[in-house]
Amino acid sequence: MSDCLFCKIVAGEIPCDQVHADDDFLAFRDINPQAPAHVLVIPRRHIAALTDLTDGDADLVGRLHVTGARVAAALGLEESGYRFVINCGRDGCQTVPHLHLHILGGRPLGWPPG
Ligand code: AMP
Ligand code: ZN
């Protein structure tokens, strides 16, 4: 997707503060962090949103979470805990239409979300 911000990050056309990279995923620090640790994990392949997932994406989405857990551990968040968030659509406050898993941690997070 040539006009997708996160595809441009995957392609190296826009810089990011990378914390993890492998064949299928990239993880980088959020540019507008909402917690002391705020990292986004994205699949390299463009998937716009949760609403676009198909049965064939089950393995990828599972590994997205496994990768996120490993990144959270590498960030030192295992003992204190952390939160995964995937926003979807207007009411979910998704602003970048390329599937991404937020990892938030480093402070107590409120619940329920506002
Ligand atoms: P969402 O609202 O769930 O779509 O989250 C999109 C996230 O991407 C927001 O938290 C933004 O701060 C973050 N973001 C936008 N542009 C960049 C960028 N160039 N590098 C890192 N994070 C970004
Ligand atoms: Zn994309």
Side-chain angles (χ1 to χ4, degrees):
M1 285 281 289
S2 56
D3 61 345
C4 169
L5 173 65
F6 286 175
C7 282
K8 287 180 178 168
I9 288 178
V10 169
E13 294 167 14
I14 291 176
C16 71
D17 186 356
Q18 185 179 296
V19 298
H20 172 83
D22 62 39
D23 286 350
D24 294 317
F25 303 105
L26 200 60
F28 51 89
R29 293 190 189 276
D30 196 291
I31 204 167
N32 182 24
Q34 302 301 311
H38 187 174
V39 165
L40 305 175
V41 189
I42 70 171
R44 289 183 182 273
R45 177 160 68 83
H46 181 85
I47 300 170
L50 290 171
T51 45
D52 293 303
L53 292 176
T54 66
D55 288 347
D57 297 319
D59 178 66
L60 185 80
V61 173
R63 288 187 293 107
L64 173 68
H65 286 73
V66 173
T67 301
R70 290 187 179 144
V71 169
L75 293 169
L77 299 174
E78 270 196 332
E79 191 188 331
S80 53
Y82 55 87
R83 182 173 296 164
F84 281 178
V85 173
I86 299 179
N87 294 323
C88 183
R90 186 186 61 241
D91 284 356
C93 295
Q94 182 177 7
T95 59
V96 177
H98 180 127
L99 187 69
H100 51 282
L101 175 72
H102 294 256
I103 304 171
L104 294 149
R107 66 168 172 83
L109 301 162
W111 189 263

